[in-house]
mmCIF file of all heavy atoms in Angstrom:
data_model
loop_
_atom_site.group_PDB
_atom_site.id
_atom_site.type_symbol
_atom_site.label_atom_id
_atom_site.label_comp_id
_atom_site.label_asym_id
_atom_site.label_seq_id
_atom_site.Cartn_x
_atom_site.Cartn_y
_atom_site.Cartn_z
ATOM 1 N N VAL A 111 11.999 -94.235 41.313
ATOM 2 C CA VAL A 111 10.875 -93.249 41.030
ATOM 3 C C VAL A 111 10.833 -93.207 39.496
ATOM 4 O O VAL A 111 11.708 -92.752 38.781
ATOM 5 C CB VAL A 111 11.301 -91.842 41.468
ATOM 6 C CG1 VAL A 111 10.209 -90.792 41.218
ATOM 7 C CG2 VAL A 111 11.521 -91.850 42.995
ATOM 8 N N GLY A 112 9.703 -93.703 38.973
ATOM 9 C CA GLY A 112 9.463 -93.694 37.525
ATOM 10 C C GLY A 112 10.543 -94.265 36.700
ATOM 11 O O GLY A 112 10.912 -93.908 35.621
ATOM 12 N N GLY A 113 11.186 -95.241 37.259
ATOM 13 C CA GLY A 113 12.232 -96.008 36.615
ATOM 14 C C GLY A 113 13.631 -95.365 36.709
ATOM 15 O O GLY A 113 14.667 -95.873 36.269
ATOM 16 N N ILE A 114 13.710 -94.182 37.349
ATOM 17 C CA ILE A 114 14.948 -93.514 37.513
ATOM 18 C C ILE A 114 15.565 -93.930 38.880
ATOM 19 O O ILE A 114 14.874 -93.804 39.910
ATOM 20 C CB ILE A 114 14.762 -91.990 37.408
ATOM 21 C CG1 ILE A 114 14.249 -91.603 36.039
ATOM 22 C CG2 ILE A 114 16.025 -91.209 37.732
ATOM 23 C CD1 ILE A 114 13.763 -90.193 35.888
ATOM 24 N N LYS A 115 16.759 -94.305 38.859
ATOM 25 C CA LYS A 115 17.406 -94.676 40.111
ATOM 26 C C LYS A 115 17.447 -93.574 41.131
ATOM 27 O O LYS A 115 17.703 -92.409 40.738
ATOM 28 C CB LYS A 115 18.881 -95.083 39.818
ATOM 29 C CG LYS A 115 19.023 -96.387 39.053
ATOM 30 C CD LYS A 115 20.459 -96.792 38.902
ATOM 31 C CE LYS A 115 20.552 -98.076 38.095
ATOM 32 N NZ LYS A 115 21.052 -97.789 36.748
ATOM 33 N N ALA A 116 17.124 -93.886 42.279
ATOM 34 C CA ALA A 116 17.017 -92.858 43.380
ATOM 35 C C ALA A 116 18.342 -92.108 43.633
ATOM 36 O O ALA A 116 18.318 -90.992 44.094
ATOM 37 C CB ALA A 116 16.553 -93.462 44.726
ATOM 38 N N LYS A 117 19.445 -92.674 43.251
ATOM 39 C CA LYS A 117 20.705 -91.999 43.429
ATOM 40 C C LYS A 117 20.843 -90.685 42.677
ATOM 41 O O LYS A 117 21.574 -89.804 43.090
ATOM 42 C CB LYS A 117 21.850 -92.879 43.154
ATOM 43 C CG LYS A 117 22.148 -93.160 41.747
ATOM 44 C CD LYS A 117 23.500 -93.982 41.530
ATOM 45 C CE LYS A 117 23.881 -94.030 40.042
ATOM 46 N NZ LYS A 117 25.149 -94.643 39.845
ATOM 47 N N TYR A 118 20.054 -90.565 41.553
ATOM 48 C CA TYR A 118 20.078 -89.327 40.757
ATOM 49 C C TYR A 118 19.186 -88.294 41.388
ATOM 50 O O TYR A 118 19.195 -87.172 40.908
ATOM 51 C CB TYR A 118 19.670 -89.651 39.416
ATOM 52 C CG TYR A 118 20.434 -90.578 38.591
ATOM 53 C CD1 TYR A 118 19.830 -91.494 37.777
ATOM 54 C CD2 TYR A 118 21.821 -90.582 38.662
ATOM 55 C CE1 TYR A 118 20.613 -92.380 36.985
ATOM 56 C CE2 TYR A 118 22.595 -91.477 37.923
ATOM 57 C CZ TYR A 118 21.985 -92.378 37.114
ATOM 58 O OH TYR A 118 22.718 -93.261 36.343
ATOM 59 N N LEU A 119 18.493 -88.637 42.439
ATOM 60 C CA LEU A 119 17.485 -87.719 42.953
ATOM 61 C C LEU A 119 17.880 -87.161 44.291
ATOM 62 O O LEU A 119 18.348 -87.847 45.189
ATOM 63 C CB LEU A 119 16.122 -88.425 43.063
ATOM 64 C CG LEU A 119 15.713 -89.106 41.781
ATOM 65 C CD1 LEU A 119 14.273 -89.801 42.085
ATOM 66 C CD2 LEU A 119 15.618 -88.163 40.690
ATOM 67 N N GLN A 120 17.646 -85.899 44.456
ATOM 68 C CA GLN A 120 17.880 -85.252 45.781
ATOM 69 C C GLN A 120 16.651 -85.478 46.687
ATOM 70 O O GLN A 120 16.752 -85.592 47.866
ATOM 71 C CB GLN A 120 18.148 -83.744 45.597
ATOM 72 C CG GLN A 120 18.384 -82.972 46.850
ATOM 73 C CD GLN A 120 18.591 -81.464 46.491
ATOM 74 O OE1 GLN A 120 19.210 -81.176 45.438
ATOM 75 N NE2 GLN A 120 18.136 -80.640 47.287
ATOM 76 N N GLY A 121 15.492 -85.499 46.030
ATOM 77 C CA GLY A 121 14.298 -85.602 46.821
ATOM 78 C C GLY A 121 13.089 -85.325 45.868
ATOM 79 O O GLY A 121 13.229 -85.192 44.714
ATOM 80 N N ILE A 122 11.931 -85.437 46.477
ATOM 81 C CA ILE A 122 10.645 -85.171 45.794
ATOM 82 C C ILE A 122 9.991 -83.984 46.540
ATOM 83 O O ILE A 122 9.757 -84.070 47.734
ATOM 84 C CB ILE A 122 9.714 -86.370 45.840
ATOM 85 C CG1 ILE A 122 10.350 -87.634 45.346
ATOM 86 C CG2 ILE A 122 8.401 -85.987 45.091
ATOM 87 C CD1 ILE A 122 10.635 -87.702 43.854
ATOM 88 N N ALA A 123 9.758 -82.893 45.791
ATOM 89 C CA ALA A 123 9.051 -81.747 46.411
ATOM 90 C C ALA A 123 7.558 -81.841 46.135
ATOM 91 O O ALA A 123 7.126 -82.031 45.088
ATOM 92 C CB ALA A 123 9.692 -80.447 45.848
ATOM 93 N N LYS A 124 6.781 -81.535 47.245
ATOM 94 C CA LYS A 124 5.345 -81.502 47.066
ATOM 95 C C LYS A 124 4.943 -80.038 46.878
ATOM 96 O O LYS A 124 5.251 -79.175 47.694
ATOM 97 C CB LYS A 124 4.610 -82.024 48.354
ATOM 98 C CG LYS A 124 4.881 -83.620 48.450
ATOM 99 C CD LYS A 124 4.158 -84.174 49.600
ATOM 100 C CE LYS A 124 4.731 -83.843 50.955
ATOM 101 N NZ LYS A 124 5.678 -84.465 51.537
ATOM 102 N N ILE A 125 4.313 -79.761 45.780
ATOM 103 C CA ILE A 125 3.880 -78.434 45.436
ATOM 104 C C ILE A 125 2.371 -78.437 45.393
ATOM 105 O O ILE A 125 1.812 -79.069 44.422
ATOM 106 C CB ILE A 125 4.522 -77.906 44.181
ATOM 107 C CG1 ILE A 125 6.067 -78.028 44.306
ATOM 108 C CG2 ILE A 125 4.005 -76.521 43.850
ATOM 109 C CD1 ILE A 125 6.743 -77.901 42.984
ATOM 110 N N GLY A 126 1.740 -77.724 46.317
ATOM 111 C CA GLY A 126 0.249 -77.838 46.256
ATOM 112 C C GLY A 126 -0.203 -79.175 46.604
ATOM 113 O O GLY A 126 0.539 -79.975 47.219
ATOM 114 N N ASP A 127 -1.477 -79.528 46.209
ATOM 115 C CA ASP A 127 -2.061 -80.827 46.522
ATOM 116 C C ASP A 127 -1.708 -81.912 45.529
ATOM 117 O O ASP A 127 -1.656 -83.091 45.865
ATOM 118 C CB ASP A 127 -3.558 -80.675 46.621
ATOM 119 C CG ASP A 127 -3.982 -79.946 47.896
ATOM 120 O OD1 ASP A 127 -3.209 -79.874 48.839
ATOM 121 O OD2 ASP A 127 -5.091 -79.376 47.856
ATOM 122 N N LYS A 128 -1.542 -81.568 44.217
ATOM 123 C CA LYS A 128 -1.397 -82.579 43.224
ATOM 124 C C LYS A 128 -0.084 -82.581 42.468
ATOM 125 O O LYS A 128 0.099 -83.424 41.598
ATOM 126 C CB LYS A 128 -2.570 -82.393 42.191
ATOM 127 C CG LYS A 128 -3.939 -82.580 42.851
ATOM 128 C CD LYS A 128 -4.946 -82.496 41.898
ATOM 129 C CE LYS A 128 -6.284 -82.758 42.669
ATOM 130 N NZ LYS A 128 -7.495 -82.410 41.933
ATOM 131 N N ARG A 129 0.789 -81.645 42.688
ATOM 132 C CA ARG A 129 2.012 -81.509 41.900
ATOM 133 C C ARG A 129 3.185 -82.056 42.659
ATOM 134 O O ARG A 129 3.461 -81.627 43.765
ATOM 135 C CB ARG A 129 2.212 -80.101 41.558
ATOM 136 C CG ARG A 129 3.148 -79.806 40.386
ATOM 137 C CD ARG A 129 3.084 -78.364 39.938
ATOM 138 N NE ARG A 129 4.098 -78.018 39.040
ATOM 139 C CZ ARG A 129 4.482 -76.780 38.801
ATOM 140 N NH1 ARG A 129 3.868 -75.784 39.361
ATOM 141 N NH2 ARG A 129 5.470 -76.578 37.889
ATOM 142 N N LEU A 130 3.974 -82.896 41.973
ATOM 143 C CA LEU A 130 5.226 -83.368 42.624
ATOM 144 C C LEU A 130 6.327 -82.941 41.661
ATOM 145 O O LEU A 130 6.228 -82.992 40.453
ATOM 146 C CB LEU A 130 5.198 -84.918 42.704
ATOM 147 C CG LEU A 130 4.301 -85.517 43.734
ATOM 148 C CD1 LEU A 130 4.333 -86.989 43.669
ATOM 149 C CD2 LEU A 130 4.542 -84.978 45.097
ATOM 150 N N LEU A 131 7.468 -82.628 42.262
ATOM 151 C CA LEU A 131 8.634 -82.140 41.457
ATOM 152 C C LEU A 131 9.800 -83.012 41.940
ATOM 153 O O LEU A 131 10.217 -83.088 43.124
ATOM 154 C CB LEU A 131 8.926 -80.680 41.763
ATOM 155 C CG LEU A 131 9.894 -79.909 41.006
ATOM 156 C CD1 LEU A 131 9.455 -79.881 39.531
ATOM 157 C CD2 LEU A 131 10.071 -78.472 41.514
ATOM 158 N N VAL A 132 10.469 -83.686 40.886
ATOM 159 C CA VAL A 132 11.572 -84.531 41.212
ATOM 160 C C VAL A 132 12.847 -83.627 41.240
ATOM 161 O O VAL A 132 13.201 -82.971 40.217
ATOM 162 C CB VAL A 132 11.791 -85.617 40.205
ATOM 163 C CG1 VAL A 132 12.927 -86.462 40.495
ATOM 164 C CG2 VAL A 132 10.448 -86.421 40.072
#
Side-chain angles (χ1 to χ4, degrees):
V111 180
I114 297 170
K115 292 186 183 105
K117 72 175 188 172
Y118 297 143
L119 310 179
Q120 177 181 327
I122 308 290
K124 292 184 286 272
I125 302 165
D127 289 336
K128 297 184 178 166
R129 193 171 173 198
L130 293 177
L131 188 64
V132 179

